Amino acid sequence: NAGVTQTPKFRILKIGQSMTLQCAQDMNHNYMYWYRQDPGMGLKLIYYSVGAGITDKGEVPNGYNVSRSTTEDFPLRLELAAPSQTSVYFCASKTGIGLGAKNIQYFGAGTRLSVL
Amino acid sequence: KQEVTQIPAALSVPEGENLVLNCSFTDSAIYNLQWFRQDPGKGLTSLLLIQSSQREQTSGRLNASLDKSSGRSTLYIAASQPGDSATYLCAVRRSDYKLSFGAGTTVTVRA
């Protein structure tokens, strides 16, 4: 019953450091997403993927990179961490395009990142 | 550009009172609208999804309405309980298949 699993749950980075946020889903979903949530704001889409080997930019992609080598995994990489990247990061997945339940996105518990 | 607004940002009610949460969006060309619940330190859980052709959806004590032409949705929670305390977010699915989220309404139900 794992669903969407994100690791780590918390992380503190120094400016200029790099790290990879991990996301894995066991529901065989084609679509996967990375969002960031800043205090008092809605979620903003960073990157998304419609299937293995296919990724595309969202609204706020600068400073991030992604890859999708398997259906299950969708890691998000920060190359040169900046204080503006302090946020809570959520990974989500859904089965595909269509009506009803296919449109429901399932979210991980999030990664809280601080860049100091 | 789709903008999603949720007012109020926070709401506190006594147990048993009905909750009314509002969501408005600027572009009526949407595919669907979802309501999510977010507990502190947790991810989002989908509560209800309304297709653009539907007027409302119901699940237990929850009822969500959609008026696409006026760009509004309302989430009703009947007979609120302390366990309903959480942040509720609405999100609209745009024509490019991506979700635009509101900032959420934080609800506190007092016992």
Side-chain angles (χ1 to χ4, degrees), chain B residues 35-94:
Chain B
W35 282 95
F36 292 89
R37 171 183 172 136
Q38 185 177 25
D39 293 290
K42 300 287 181 63
L44 281 67
T45 301
S46 181
L47 297 173
L48 290 167
L49 183 150
I50 313 176
Q51 299 294 345
S52 62
S53 58
Q54 296 176 315
R55 298 283 293 183
E56 66 177 350
Q57 275 283 359
T58 298
S59 176
R61 294 185 294 113
L62 276 60
N63 174 276
S65 66
L66 174 63
D67 184 343
K68 207 172 69 161
S69 60
S70 67
R72 292 182 184 178
S73 176
T74 303
L75 177 67
Y76 301 90
I77 303 177
S80 62
Q81 304 167 0
D84 295 328
S85 297
T87 297
Y88 293 84
L89 295 96
C90 71
V92 298
R93 183 174 162 227
R94 308 174 330 209

Side-chain angles (χ1 to χ4, degrees), chain A residues 35 37 40-43 45 48 57 59 90 94 97 99-100 103-105 107-109 112, chain B residues 1 32 34 36 38 40-44 46 49 51 89 93-94 97-99 101-103:
Chain A
Y35 296 92
Q37 185 180 34
M41 307 286 286
L43 278 70
L45 182 65
Y48 68 101
K57 296 178 181 178
E59 302 169 80
F90 289 101
K94 72 170 186 176
I97 295 177
L99 296 178
N103 272 305
I104 295 175
Q105 290 192 15
F107 283 77
R112 293 183 176 275
Chain B
K1 182 186 172 187
N32 60 50
Q34 278 189 260
F36 292 89
Q38 185 177 25
K42 300 287 181 63
L44 281 67
S46 181
L49 183 150
Q51 299 294 345
L89 295 96
R93 183 174 162 227
R94 308 174 330 209
Y97 305 112
K98 297 168 190 163
L99 290 180
F101 283 84

